[in-house]
Amino acid sequence: MDDDVFQTSLQFLKGVGPRRAAVLEKAGLHTFHDLLHFYPRRYLDRSTVVPIRRLDDSGAPVTVVGTVRAAGLVPGKNRKRYELIVEDESGGRLTCVWFQGIGWVSKVFKPGDRVAFHGKPQRYGSRFSMTHPDFDKLDEEGPALATGRIIALYPGGAAFQKAGLTSRTFRRVIYGLFKEHGLKLRDPFPAWLREAYDLIDGRVALRAIHFPKSQGELARARTRLKFEELFYIQLMLALTRQSREEVAGLRFGPPGAFVHRFLHEVLPFELTNAQKEAVRQIVADTQSGLQMNRLVQGDVGSGKTVVAIAAMLHALDNGYQSAFMAPTEILAEQHYANLRKYLDPLGVEVRLLIGGQRKALREEILADLAEGRAHIAVGTHAVIQEGVAFHNLGMAIVDEQHRFGVMQRAELFRKGERPHMLLMTATPIPRSLAMTLYGDLDVTLIKERPAGRKPIQTWLRSEKRRGEVYDFIRRQLREGRQCYVVYPLVEESEKLDLKDAESGYEKLKAEFRPYKVDLIHGRMLPYEKDEAMERFKRGETDILVATTVIEVGVDVPNATVMVIEHAERFGLSQLHQLRGRVGRGGEQSYCILMADYKRSAEAEARLNAMVQTDDGFAISEMDLKLRGAGDFFGTRQSGLPDLKIADITQDQELLMQAREAAFELVRRDPHLRDPAHADIRAHYEAHYAPLRDGFARVG
Ligand code: ADP
Ligand code: MG
């Protein structure tokens, strides 16, 4: 749609001009289209405005509409502030206060202005006040409000205010845009789609989101636009999958001697049913003639590593090499040791690739991989570095895959000719998020833990009961068990971090003499970390004091106590990961959260969640709710597009429908060639296809 008027630059829109266009540009708004999809952040109508006299202490944000009676700078004890006294029809008075941006706010208001303020009222003496409220000047719209029209309020901020881009300006400019070009708008969705999902017309929705006639209409408009937003993301996933399925993948045969001997001769235990199912799925995928892209999601301790080993041996049975990438050196070393233990007897050649290896050794390893003498490479990011080449990589595995960026997974993929990909994560993520982040992958859930595992008991303890906690640890040590004591990472400052752990280490050494206490942290050299880890594994160390370097994957079944210091400072998923370091053998294990009484409500919620459940899925649902999707496991890094109106946590039902619709569309029309789908295709290509590389996975 080259002639699409909605692709016109905003500077050509009446009421905008080059200066404002530059400000809008910075906010990511370039074209008419972008402006139409710049959704209001809030609405004002009579039913949502609270009279000042009726404000209360609930702490909930409210909207108040009043007239400015006085405005000015107030000298304060520490710093000056800017204050407004606002009065409304109820006769109540509210104070609005700014400590920051005083320069520009003081130019915004004058007595007599009618303004809507939005914020959390707090009571000071007999009067309420709001600090740094959102505001919208309404002067010309008082009467309109009185007649009950719903007024859209747009995202604000100093840059917009300075350029005169107030809500009123947005309303006026967008109104003008509709008036001039509204008839040229088209609904990208074909009728079948609208009907199947009971959606209103896209043009109607766009107009209503800016100029709603009723709350009902607004709600329908929001549903339609949320659906659309989620739909295009799902379309991106559906098309990625579709294009992958059009190319042949390596076709493996049935499982052979290596897999058989590993499972039946070498492995000292039987696979759980969930593990068997995972292996069965991997085998089926690799025999299908398509390239596998499977995510194995299993809670900590569910035994994903043996599944990975089986997958690698399956590749070897078919004459292919494998790569196994882990996020930390400790983990890579641990996998390496495990692989050697299980695979040396089978004559499988395994190589370790990590940073800081001697040049001669590294070169030898690289040659073995390039010439096919080595069958499996296990390592850190070192595996995807330049210079690493495989003879024929057929199976690429990423452990703790959420710790890697999309690009890194893609780099691993490019080390072979469309190798099968197996991604593993110990962080079960909520279904809705999985559907967005990994919506084009096949997913295996390992919900079962190996037999004989007892649920970990989790206790929350304050400083006062430290003595008791130590007595408890002593009893466990006396029974031959081992213990971790973990200190948090304080705001990425490794130094501080270290100080905490180091002084803890000294104290514990004195406290638990003659038991052996050891320290491990991120600043140590790789070989020092290894040695400390090895001593702990061999049982020579009783208590391992650690920073969060041991967070992922570390496996020492004899360790039964995990003490987490300053537990209130950790995120929920991180706490759960740490707890997963114990409970890996048959013994009852314990996780003790040491926390201050002074803690935020959110910290309280996290700690309680830990005490209540050790089900990783329940934990991750809670974590998503507490943190919101944007923050969840670096979804930024994953390339998940920003959502403007939909919310993955809130709109799960719509998400499922949008997904179904997108996959159905691609099933009906795999390349979107049907003229009825031309608008969807154009919109997708303009706005989503460019994201795909960064977003969608490999393959
Ligand atoms: P994760 O899924 O967290 O990566 P691991 O693969 O590290 O879990 O396995 C945790 C522990 O459970 C390891 O010590 C492993 O040897 C053991 N394990 C794995 N599968 C089984 C099984 N089927 N029966 C008994 N122990 C098992
Ligand atoms: Mg693991």
Side-chain angles (χ1 to χ4, degrees):
M1 290 205 293
D2 302 332
D3 56 344
D4 184 354
V5 62
F6 297 101
Q7 295 308 321
T8 313
S9 165
L10 280 172
Q11 60 172 311
F12 301 114
L13 187 60
K14 218 177 281 159
V16 179
R19 202 172 70 86
R20 283 178 173 170
V23 176
L24 291 168
E25 191 94 4
K26 282 217 183 77
L29 302 170
H30 310 284
T31 61
F32 290 8
H33 169 274
D34 295 340
L35 188 62
L36 287 176
H37 290 270
F38 182 60
Y39 304 134
R41 76 189 186 298
R42 190 173 305 128
Y43 298 86
L44 206 58
D45 82 0
R46 258 194 314 193
S47 62
T48 58
V49 172
V50 179
I52 294 175
R53 279 197 191 283
R54 295 233 304 273
L55 292 178
D56 62 34
D57 292 305
S58 70
V62 294
T63 304
V64 160
V65 174
T67 306
V68 174
R69 292 296 177 219
L73 283 172
V74 181
K77 259 177 279 169
N78 302 317
R79 50 183 175 160
K80 57 182 179 194
R81 58 184 192 272
Y82 181 75
E83 278 194 7
L84 295 180
I85 308 293
V86 179
E87 189 180 50
D88 72 358
E89 278 77 47
S90 74
R93 288 187 160 212
L94 171 79
T95 310
C96 296
V97 187
W98 283 262
F99 295 100
Q100 270 138 37
I102 292 180
W104 71 270
V105 247
S106 58
K107 294 196 193 83
V108 174
F109 302 102
K110 57 181 190 316
D113 283 350
R114 268 182 69 73
V115 189
F117 293 98
H118 187 89
K120 292 180 184 171
Q122 282 173 300
R123 191 197 292 276
Y124 287 104
S126 61
R127 187 178 288 174
F128 278 95
S129 91
M130 282 184 189
T131 306
H132 294 160
D134 266 359
F135 61 85
D136 282 278
K137 292 176 68 173
L138 303 170
D139 10 7
E140 287 163 18
E141 284 160 324
L145 191 67
T147 63
R149 205 182 86 204
I150 303 171
I151 296 177
L153 303 180
Y154 290 83
F160 277 10
Q161 294 282 347
K162 275 183 203 157
L165 288 163
T166 60
S167 285
R168 206 170 70 216
T169 311
F170 278 114
R171 286 191 297 269
R172 205 169 48 222
V173 168
I174 294 172
Y175 188 80
L177 181 53
F178 272 112
K179 206 162 151 192
E180 179 135 1
H181 300 293
L183 290 176
K184 293 176 213 140
L185 276 172
R186 288 204 301 257
D187 185 349
F189 282 4
W192 70 264
L193 216 160
R194 277 201 309 270
E195 276 155 27
Y197 295 94
D198 199 17
L199 300 167
I200 62 168
D201 186 285
R203 294 163 294 193
V204 175
L206 263 187
R207 184 180 283 269
I209 202 80
H210 296 288
F211 305 101
K213 293 198 191 77
S214 68
Q215 291 290 347
E217 190 193 47
L218 178 57
R220 284 188 296 278
R222 288 177 61 81
T223 300
R224 157 73 206 229
L225 295 171
K226 283 177 176 188
F227 184 97
E228 206 169 310
E229 187 167 47
L230 296 167
F231 172 85
Y232 282 107
I233 294 175
Q234 292 300 324
L235 183 61
M236 175 160 72
L237 298 167
L239 289 171
T240 304
R241 206 187 156 100
Q242 165 67 28
S243 61
R244 189 161 68 225
E245 287 176 357
E246 285 171 2
V247 191
L250 301 175
R251 190 189 290 275
F252 286 3
F258 281 118
V259 174
H260 188 85
R261 292 186 58 203
F262 169 62
L263 295 181
H264 301 105
E265 291 169 25
V266 177
L267 207 58
F269 44 75
E270 207 191 325
L271 294 189
T272 62
N273 286 327
Q275 286 168 321
K276 283 182 192 159
E277 177 61 15
V279 173
R280 201 193 56 71
Q281 286 175 337
I282 292 166
V283 167
D285 288 352
T286 54
Q287 288 184 298
S288 72
L290 296 177
Q291 182 239 334
M292 172 174 81
N293 263 282
R294 184 167 288 277
L295 175 73
V296 174
Q297 252 185 290
D299 207 349
V300 282
S302 60
K304 294 180 293 295
T305 315
V306 292
V307 172
I309 299 176
M312 293 192 283
L313 292 176
H314 178 48
L316 185 55
D317 275 325
N318 285 276
Y320 285 95
Q321 293 172 299
S322 300
F324 190 8
M325 184 164 74
T328 66
E329 270 170 23
I330 290 184
L331 200 49
E333 305 256 3
Q334 179 182 290
H335 284 329
Y336 179 63
N338 260 325
L339 288 169
R340 293 289 304 270
K341 181 176 76 187
Y342 291 136
L343 304 187
D344 280 359
L346 302 180
V348 177
E349 293 292 332
V350 184
R351 298 290 183 275
L352 176 68
L353 271 175
I354 52 175
Q357 281 171 317
R358 277 183 301 111
K359 192 156 176 268
L361 175 64
R362 184 177 148 86
E363 270 166 13
E364 195 183 310
I365 294 172
L366 293 188
D368 287 347
L369 288 170
E371 286 151 35
R373 282 188 298 278
H375 308 123
I376 292 176
V378 53
T380 55
H381 302 86
V383 171
I384 50 176
Q385 259 160 23
E386 250 188 71
V388 180
F390 289 84
H391 171 64
N392 66 352
L393 181 65
M395 176 70 66
I397 306 185
V398 184
D399 194 17
E400 310 289 350
Q401 69 88 31
H402 59 279
R403 302 281 295 249
F404 291 95
V406 209
M407 295 326 280
Q408 293 169 314
R409 297 198 295 255
E411 277 162 36
L412 183 62
F413 179 69
R414 284 196 291 268
K415 291 287 180 190
E417 291 213 18
R418 301 176 49 75
H420 294 298
M421 294 289 295
L422 182 62
L423 309 174
M424 306 203 297
T425 181
T427 315
I429 64 171
R431 198 166 128 83
S432 58
L433 192 59
M435 231 151 234
T436 310
L437 286 178
Y438 311 127
D440 65 324
L441 304 180
D442 294 306
V443 178
T444 300
L445 292 184
I446 301 193
K447 281 210 156 178
E448 181 188 5
R449 294 187 198 175
R453 296 281 168 79
K454 303 182 178 77
I456 300 164
Q457 290 191 27
T458 303
W459 302 327
L460 178 56
R461 293 288 180 262
S462 66
E463 202 50 46
K464 260 192 276 169
R465 299 177 68 178
R466 186 171 287 278
E468 262 171 70
V469 170
Y470 284 175
D471 287 342
F472 176 78
I473 295 175
R474 221 167 264 120
R475 282 200 297 281
Q476 288 281 311
L477 296 181
R478 221 173 287 139
E479 285 175 29
R481 305 281 99 78
Q482 291 162 282
C483 169
Y484 295 100
V485 179
V486 176
Y487 286 85
L489 192 87
V490 186
E491 299 186 352
E492 308 284 315
S493 149
E494 267 188 80
K495 264 190 209 152
L496 251 179
D497 184 27
L498 210 56
K499 220 181 80 203
D500 258 11
E502 267 169 351
S503 67
Y505 163 66
E506 294 300 335
K507 280 193 206 123
L508 288 162
K509 232 174 22 182
E511 173 80 31
F512 286 93
R513 199 160 292 156
Y515 286 110
K516 281 256 170 0
V517 183
D518 209 346
L519 174 67
I520 186 166
H521 58 74
R523 285 279 180 96
M524 285 161 57
L525 292 172
Y527 82 91
E528 295 174 320
K529 279 191 268 188
D530 285 358
E531 284 177 5
M533 227 34 245
E534 276 311 308
R535 284 193 297 273
F536 190 64
K537 262 192 185 168
R538 287 197 300 264
E540 293 164 21
T541 311
D542 300 291
I543 299 179
L544 185 61
V545 178
T547 57
T548 41
V549 292
I550 61 151
E551 183 190 336
V552 292
V554 170
D555 184 43
V556 181
N558 190 49
T560 55
V561 185
M562 165 62 67
V563 178
I564 305 177
E565 298 284 350
H566 302 294
E568 75 281 358
R569 295 189 200 160
F570 289 89
L572 188 48
S573 295
Q574 209 180 7
L575 287 172
H576 181 67
Q577 282 283 325
L578 285 168
R579 174 167 59 185
R581 297 312 105 219
V582 296
R584 307 191 134 236
E587 302 297 334
Q588 176 63 55
S589 291
Y590 307 86
C591 174
I592 305 173
L593 307 169
M594 299 298 296
D596 267 347
Y597 271 123
K598 278 180 283 170
R599 50 194 184 229
S600 66
E602 211 198 301
E604 189 69 34
R606 290 195 295 267
L607 296 171
N608 283 334
M610 282 290 290
V611 173
Q612 275 158 24
T613 180
D614 79 339
D615 173 351
F617 286 89
I619 294 267
S620 71
E621 285 285 354
M622 263 184 258
D623 200 25
L624 179 60
K625 288 215 179 83
L626 286 172
R627 286 206 272 162
D631 200 31
F632 197 83
F633 301 126
T635 42
R636 287 277 173 283
Q637 159 158 294
S638 70
L640 179 70
D642 275 336
L643 294 173
K644 287 192 209 135
I645 186 165
D647 176 325
I648 289 181
T649 350
Q650 311 275 314
D651 302 317
Q652 305 211 7
E653 186 62 31
L654 266 184
L655 171 63
M656 304 300 271
Q657 292 179 6
R659 178 174 173 81
E660 189 188 278
F663 278 74
E664 171 66 17
L665 173 66
V666 172
R667 205 180 53 75
R668 287 188 188 199
D669 184 11
H671 300 102
L672 307 183
R673 289 202 183 113
D674 184 334
H677 304 143
D679 286 345
I680 289 185
R681 181 186 172 145
H683 185 75
Y684 172 78
E685 281 178 355
H687 302 281
Y688 290 85
L691 286 176
R692 205 175 102 164
D693 269 353
F695 174 75
R697 27 250 72 258
V698 293

